[in-house]
């Protein structure tokens, strides 16, 4: 099947919005190989394009520190995704997408208070690895700045960095004679300054002018704030009116509205996305949480088998995953208020708090060698009693994927888009 550039898919969806046949694409944070399998299986059965959105902390070049997800750099990420697609017989459209690329987007770079010159250099190095390894969509997000903590970064600074990075990526892409790629701009972060419809309009207008002067393409997506906010759960309030207005503004420039933080939304809110004309939304930590919960359920089954005398010894997956996840300290970004400042030792002493942190942060430790070892023991114990643990985990992750696919009107999207643009 010929691969449509992601920009063409979005153009098709914007046309379909006038016919009632449109949909909201789903950006999936690639938390594990199990999630890849679940995603490909449901997209194969439902016929819709997949977008795998990887942050720089999750997937990056080895020389920049690599990624915490499965040890992926861009090449291994590309290869593993292709292998899983072939394994499940998926021959549809899928896109490798850089989520929150740009300066200071790796935690270690921000914590080190790198200079702007150095942060931009490393951002370009990361984007180059993306381009060389087949990424289809690059998010240009220059709104993280360790010198402007708590402040709104001036719009002109965001624009200047955005245009500079798009120009670099286009130059490198053309130099290598590679296919067209899409760009995503803006941010859901409040320090990005695009929290109002007025600022959003100003950003689009100024961006179009700057890109046109330099002969650069308009982005495929512009991120807008629809009221969603993910912490340990969905703590935002969806604003239909805001989403509708932002989508109309973006569409006037031939661009799709992209929403971030769409985890844990209920069916009513998900269904609102279609009449609001939201072109795409991102979900990431929810899938990691679902996989963690699946492992804990399997551990409960293992405990029952031991109690009934059917196993001599259980795995230590629950304890190992809990301790390793808490010690990553990556959970801090998902906590609220003073909980962000808790000490690891204090959390480990509190069983309820430990389990709360594990729920949101278990996926940060999936690639740990000790966790993998205990998981193998768990699977072996269950297999002795005719339970396919890995199959259960994949199916467990598919539950929220199916919910979003149904509410976002994703069934048959690939065929609908091809029909309207070809």
């Amino acid at each position: 099947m010929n691969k449509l550039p992601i920009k063409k898919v979005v153009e098709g969806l914007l046309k379909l919005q006038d016919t009632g046949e449109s949909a909201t694409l789903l950006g999936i944070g690639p938390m594990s190989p199990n999630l890849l399998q679940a995603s490909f299986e449901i997209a194969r059965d439902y016929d819709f394009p997949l977008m795998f959105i990887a942050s720089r902390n999750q997937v990056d070049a080895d020389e920049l520190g690599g990624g915490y997800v499965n040890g992926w750099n861009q090449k291994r990420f590309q290869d593993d995704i292709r292998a899983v697609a072939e394994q499940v017989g998926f021959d549809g459209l899928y896109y490798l997408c850089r989520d929150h690329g740009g300066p200071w987007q790796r935690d270690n770079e921000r914590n080190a208070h790198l200079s702007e010159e150095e942060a931009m250099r490393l951002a370009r190095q990361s984007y180059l690895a993306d381009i060389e390894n087949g990424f289809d969509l690059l998010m240009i997000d220059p709104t993280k700045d360790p010198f402007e903590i708590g402040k709104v970064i001036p719009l002109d600074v965001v624009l200047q960095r955005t245009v500079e990075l798009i120009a670099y990526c286009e130059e490198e892409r053309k130099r290598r004679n590679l296919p067209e790629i899409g760009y995503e701009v803006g941010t859901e972060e409040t320090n990005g300054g695009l929290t109002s419809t007025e600022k959003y309009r100003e950003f689009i207008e100024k961006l179009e002018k700057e890109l046109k002067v330099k002969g650069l393409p308009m982005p495929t997506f512009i991120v807008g704030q629809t009221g969603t906010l993910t912490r340990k759960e969905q703590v935002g309030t969806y604003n239909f009116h805001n989403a509708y207005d932002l989508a109309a503004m973006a569409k006037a420039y031939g661009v799709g509205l992209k929403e971030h933080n769409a985890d844990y939304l209920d069916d009513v809110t998900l269904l609102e996305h279609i009449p609001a004309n939201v072109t795409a939304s991102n979900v990431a930590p929810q899938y990691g949480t679902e996989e963690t919960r699946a492992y804990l359920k399997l551990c409960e089954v293992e405990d029952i088998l031991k109690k009934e005398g059917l196993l001599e010894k259980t795995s230590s997956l629950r304890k190992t995953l809990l301790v390793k996840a808490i010690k990553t300290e990556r959970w801090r970004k998902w906590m609220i208020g003073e909980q962000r400042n808790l000490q690891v030792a204090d959390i480990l002493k509190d069983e309820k708090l430990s389990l709360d942190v594990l729920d949101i942060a278990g996926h940060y430790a999936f690639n740990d060698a000790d966790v993998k070892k205990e998981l193998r023991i768990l699977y072996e114990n269950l297999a002795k009693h005719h339970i396919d643990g890995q199959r259960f985990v994949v199916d467990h992750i598919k539950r929220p994927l199916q919910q979003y696919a149904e509410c976002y009107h994703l069934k048959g999207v690939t065929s609908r888009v091809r029909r309207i643009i070809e």
Side-chain angles (χ1 to χ4, degrees):
M1 181 182 287
N2 294 331
K3 185 171 183 179
L4 294 173
I6 193 166
K7 194 161 191 172
K8 286 291 184 185
V9 173
V10 171
E11 287 173 2
L13 288 173
L14 293 177
K15 289 179 182 178
L16 287 169
Q17 286 175 357
D18 300 323
T19 69
E21 291 188 286
S22 193
T24 299
L25 296 177
L26 184 60
I28 297 168
M31 299 300 183
S32 71
N34 284 327
L35 175 56
L36 296 184
Q37 182 179 341
S39 302
F40 277 122
E41 286 182 0
I42 199 160
R44 175 198 64 201
D45 297 343
Y46 279 35
D47 181 34
F48 66 85
L50 287 167
M51 296 191 302
F52 294 109
I53 53 162
S55 72
R56 289 190 59 205
N57 286 322
Q58 293 169 332
V59 176
D60 209 351
D62 289 334
E63 54 269 31
L64 298 177
Y68 73 77
V69 178
N70 214 47
W72 279 324
N73 64 10
Q74 288 91 333
K75 177 68 165 61
R76 291 190 292 273
F77 182 54
Q78 178 193 46
D79 290 346
D80 284 359
I81 284 182
R82 183 187 296 119
V84 176
E86 292 174 357
Q87 172 193 327
V88 306
F90 179 85
D91 63 355
L93 299 172
Y94 69 86
Y95 299 99
L96 307 189
C97 308
R98 169 57 69 203
D99 188 31
H100 293 293
W104 299 294
Q105 288 289 352
R106 286 188 69 95
D107 292 344
N108 61 316
E109 293 175 8
R110 196 161 58 256
N111 294 338
H113 285 70
L114 296 181
S115 67
E116 178 177 354
E117 181 182 3
E118 179 66 3
M120 287 289 279
R121 184 185 73 80
L122 295 178
R124 290 192 292 270
Q125 186 176 343
S126 178
Y127 281 131
L128 183 57
D130 294 344
I131 293 165
E132 291 179 333
N133 288 286
F135 274 56
D136 304 281
L137 179 75
L138 303 179
M139 182 180 182
I140 311 293
D141 182 3
T143 62
K144 281 277 195 297
D145 192 324
F147 305 104
E148 300 288 349
I149 295 175
K151 299 178 183 177
V152 173
I153 299 174
L155 195 62
D156 287 344
V157 173
V158 175
L159 279 164
Q160 177 261 318
R161 292 174 181 167
T162 298
V163 173
E164 180 182 334
L165 288 168
I166 290 177
Y168 169 79
C169 292
E170 278 296 284
E171 180 184 350
E172 295 299 331
R173 178 187 70 80
K174 290 176 181 176
R175 181 177 294 162
R176 289 160 177 75
N177 197 31
L178 294 172
E180 174 186 14
I181 56 177
Y183 296 95
E184 177 178 338
V185 300
T187 180
E188 83 282 8
E189 302 286 350
T190 54
N191 64 340
L194 300 183
T195 53
S196 70
T197 53
E198 292 77 15
K199 279 289 184 184
Y200 193 82
R201 184 188 299 276
E202 182 184 356
F203 181 75
I204 298 177
E205 289 175 350
K206 288 186 174 181
L207 181 66
E208 184 195 39
K209 183 178 178 181
E210 290 293 320
L211 293 174
K212 191 172 287 186
V213 166
K214 290 181 165 49
L216 297 170
M218 278 293 280
T220 299
F221 294 112
I222 298 185
V223 180
Q225 178 54 260
T226 63
T228 55
L229 181 61
T230 305
R231 287 297 178 259
K232 291 188 291 183
E233 56 190 358
Q234 179 58 237
V235 297
T237 302
Y238 197 75
N239 187 325
F240 177 90
H241 183 73
N242 217 46
Y244 186 87
D245 285 351
L246 294 175
M249 285 182 209
K251 186 176 180 178
Y253 291 86
V255 177
L257 169 65
K258 184 87 168 297
E259 166 192 79
H260 287 202
N261 283 295
D263 307 69
Y264 309 110
L265 295 177
D266 59 63
D267 287 347
V268 172
T269 306
L270 293 177
L271 288 167
E272 289 181 58
H273 283 62
I274 302 304
N277 290 324
V278 176
T279 313
S281 62
N282 289 355
V283 178
Q286 180 176 0
Y287 301 129
T289 294
E290 288 297 333
E291 185 162 351
T292 297
R293 290 174 179 174
Y295 290 139
L296 295 181
K297 288 175 182 177
L298 292 176
C299 287
E300 286 186 44
V301 175
E302 191 185 33
D303 287 342
I304 291 170
L305 294 173
K306 171 74 162 51
K307 182 181 176 182
E308 296 296 330
L310 298 174
L311 285 177
E312 288 186 16
K313 187 178 180 181
T314 63
S315 70
S316 298
L317 179 63
R318 182 191 289 105
K319 183 177 180 181
T320 304
L321 185 59
L322 183 147
V323 172
K324 297 282 188 175
I326 292 171
K327 286 186 174 180
T328 68
E329 299 195 48
R330 290 185 178 274
W331 43 266
R332 294 190 187 280
K333 69 178 288 189
W334 305 113
M335 306 301 275
I336 299 171
E338 287 303 311
Q339 286 191 325
R340 289 172 181 254
N341 302 317
L342 288 168
Q343 298 300 307
V344 168
D346 293 332
I347 294 175
L348 290 171
K349 291 175 188 173
D350 186 325
E351 183 179 1
K352 183 181 183 305
L353 187 56
S354 291
L355 290 173
D356 284 346
V357 172
L358 172 60
D359 197 49
I360 195 64
H363 61 276
Y364 292 119
F366 287 168
N367 198 49
D368 181 271
D370 292 333
V371 170
K372 287 180 172 179
K373 175 186 173 185
E374 295 303 324
L375 181 58
R376 284 194 295 271
I377 295 171
L378 171 69
Y379 283 167
E380 288 167 4
N381 282 341
L382 295 173
K384 293 172 186 175
H385 299 281
H386 317 296
I387 295 174
D388 186 338
Q390 195 263 344
R391 182 70 254 173
F392 171 79
V393 172
V394 170
D395 288 340
H396 197 279
I397 299 169
K398 284 171 74 171
R399 296 173 191 176
L401 283 168
Q402 182 170 336
Q403 176 197 15
Y404 279 66
E406 292 174 353
C407 292
Y408 278 2
H409 198 202
L410 284 170
K411 287 185 179 180
V413 161
T414 301
S415 299
R416 297 201 299 273
V417 166
R418 284 189 177 280
R419 188 182 71 240
I420 200 166
I421 67 173
E422 291 184 341

